[in-house]
């Protein structure tokens, strides 16, 4: 995360991100192939209740586009997501496959 700002009135947090990898997207909001090997940057919105703060790490973001804005759900660190995914695959409770 490059920068995080909070809007108490709208109860949302703006995240200025550097995007390393896009797993899947339904729109072309985030470019899949980046020119010159640079990482993509963009601003996305998350509910304030997620308690997101600025800091290092990689995250698994999921969300949707609403009125042209990328709206996220609360996001785990990517290593936490991978552990949850691994347990679900082993127990047979994983409902879908992300490649």
């Amino acid at each position: 995360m490059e920068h995080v700002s909070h809007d108490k009135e709208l109860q949302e947090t703006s995240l200025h991100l550097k995007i390393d990898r896009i797993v899947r997207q339904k729109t072309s909001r985030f470019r899949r192939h980046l020119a010159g090997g640079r990482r993509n940057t963009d601003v996305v919105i998350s509910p304030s209740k997620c308690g997101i703060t600025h800091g290092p790490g990689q995250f698994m973001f999921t969300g949707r586009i609403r009125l042209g804005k990328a709206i996220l759900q609360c996001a785990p660190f990517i290593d936490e997501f991978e552990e949850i995914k691994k347990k679900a695959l082993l127990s047979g409770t994983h409902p879908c496959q992300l490649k």
Side-chain angles (χ1 to χ4, degrees):
M1 278 185 251
E2 298 255 305
H3 176 73
V4 175
S5 59
H6 304 282
D7 187 322
K8 291 181 182 180
E9 187 175 322
L10 294 176
Q11 296 182 5
E12 64 185 27
T13 300
S14 296
L15 308 162
H16 300 254
L17 305 173
K18 282 187 179 177
I19 301 167
D20 290 324
R21 179 174 52 147
I22 299 169
V23 176
R24 184 179 65 192
Q25 65 179 336
K26 292 182 180 180
T27 69
S28 60
R29 167 70 189 223
F30 304 104
R31 290 169 294 187
R32 193 170 288 278
H33 303 288
L34 306 174
R38 295 178 319 169
R39 291 188 292 181
N40 194 10
T41 60
D42 210 328
V43 176
V44 294
I45 307 299
S46 180
S48 292
K49 69 180 181 179
C50 295
I52 296 174
T53 59
H54 181 266
Q58 291 185 319
F59 299 88
M60 173 68 179
F61 290 113
T62 61
R64 63 191 180 285
I65 302 295
R66 183 189 309 157
L67 301 174
K69 291 166 113 180
I71 308 295
L72 301 178
Q73 305 299 318
C74 297
F77 282 101
I78 193 70
D79 56 342
E80 292 172 353
F81 172 79
E82 291 294 336
E83 186 62 31
I84 293 166
K85 177 182 164 185
K86 180 180 169 183
K87 287 178 182 178
L89 286 170
L90 290 173
S91 68
T93 58
H94 195 275
C96 63
Q97 295 290 329
L98 293 178
K99 296 180 182 181

